[in-house]
Amino acid sequence: MAEADDPQRWLDLAYADEAIITQLDDGATDAATGDGRYTSSLSAPSTVVSLLELLDLEDGHRVLDIGTGNGWTAALLARIVGPGNVTSVEVDPAVAERASATLTSLGSPPALVVGDGADGWAPGAPYDRVHATCAVAEIPYAWIEQTRPGGVIVTPYAPGFGSGHELRLVVLPDGTAVGRFTGYASYMMMRSHRHPEWNPAPLAVRRSTTEIDPRTLGYAPAGADLAMGAALPGVQARGHHDGDTYTLRLWSPHAWATATYRPGRTVFDVEQAGDHPLWDHATTAYFQWITQGSPGRDHYTLTVTPEDEHVRLHRPTNTTTPR
């Protein structure tokens, strides 16, 4: 619908607190069909505001914006800190071209760059803030290198085990960054960080049963997802429904596992294959999380160094005061 057809309805749609899909299958499918893989969108306003608030922006801050998309967030950033202080990076040339036309029509557009956001944009560094509108499986170290000490990085974080998270990092003078998980975030993955799809390799399968309902792990809260993900780095975990049957799938490049709930059963089928018993490791990590007091996502920190990153429990919730 065009704005001129019904201005009020157009405004209601534009400002509704819902995401609007603007691209399917990296542009290979007409977005009007609504049938395909979501690859670019206009995020829900409440989600946009949540990430912007975490940035603690000040007038004059230099901002690196990852994932220009339609340009809305880049325009908001430019309004807050000034258009000359914002550099926005978009991987898709067609998406970037549309955003450029829109932002130019508004006057004083921010600097737009076509490239992989994982590389940041070194010519514009150092930045005071880095803001991402796509989820990453791990923090690109280029973002930390290009952010001044004390600067803030805000991004959706989705390493692959369960839910995604809002993450706020602060860059330290020694070239590391430390941050906390502040809430839930469901975003499309950065293209270079997309997770592999479920495609179990033809490995020798070990079959067993368990009394642990697979939904216990599959429906676990965000804190458990972080704990299990930290214990199983590089492992993907997703639940799959087939009618009343639920299967938790876990997979990595060299191993996979399934645990299946079926109604009326008191024990559940487990299949594991590869060099690691992923179901066994996941249940061990889950019950370790239970013994730590079932801490929420906000009790975990992420530390990023030039070599790797680590999720750690910051403050267990089962501590007691000595009498």
Side-chain angles (χ1 to χ4, degrees), residues 9 17 19 31 43 65 72 87 101 105 107 119 128 175 184 186 198 249 255 274 302 306 315 320-321:
R9 185 171 175 233
D17 195 23
S43 298
D65 179 48
W72 180 36
T87 301
S105 71
D119 298 329
D128 299 286
Y184 172 73
S186 178
W198 166 254
R249 296 169 170 173
L302 180 73
R315 186 177 64 255
T320 57
T321 302

Side-chain angles (χ1 to χ4, degrees), residues 137 157 159 165 167 179 181 222-231 233 296-297 299-304 308-314:
Y157 180 77
H165 317 270
L167 173 64
F181 302 96
D225 287 342
L226 283 169
M228 290 186 285
R297 63 157 60 92
H299 288 216
Y300 288 88
T301 62
L302 180 73
T303 300
V304 186
D308 52 25
E309 62 184 41
H310 301 283
V311 173
R312 292 187 175 92
L313 180 61
H314 175 67

Side-chain angles (χ1 to χ4, degrees), residues 155-281:
T155 182
Y157 180 77
F161 205 107
S163 56
H165 317 270
E166 284 182 344
L167 173 64
R168 184 182 192 272
L169 293 161
V170 177
V171 175
L172 307 182
D174 65 359
T176 63
V178 178
R180 301 288 290 274
F181 302 96
T182 59
Y184 172 73
S186 178
Y187 276 73
M188 299 168 194
M189 297 299 297
M190 179 182 287
R191 291 192 185 181
S192 58
H193 282 220
R194 286 174 178 168
H195 299 302
E197 298 294 333
W198 166 254
N199 184 24
L203 303 169
V205 178
R206 302 178 297 277
R207 294 179 173 85
S208 61
T209 59
T210 180
E211 294 182 343
I212 303 169
D213 187 331
R215 297 173 299 178
T216 301
L217 275 63
Y219 297 169
D225 287 342
L226 283 169
M228 290 186 285
L232 286 82
V235 174
Q236 313 299 309
R238 294 290 183 274
H240 173 74
H241 291 272
D242 184 6
D244 293 334
T245 299
Y246 172 85
T247 300
L248 179 63
R249 296 169 170 173
L250 304 105
W251 69 100
S252 69
H254 306 293
W256 59 265
T258 62
T260 302
Y261 162 85
R262 292 183 175 86
R265 296 282 298 274
T266 58
V267 295
F268 311 100
D269 296 325
V270 174
E271 293 186 343
Q272 300 186 90
D275 55 2
H276 295 290
L278 298 184
W279 168 256
D280 296 342
H281 291 339

Side-chain angles (χ1 to χ4, degrees), residues 9-25:
R9 185 171 175 233
W10 188 89
L11 283 172
D12 291 342
L13 289 171
Y15 285 93
D17 195 23
E18 297 179 5
I20 300 173
I21 304 304
T22 56
Q23 188 191 68
L24 297 173
D25 300 322

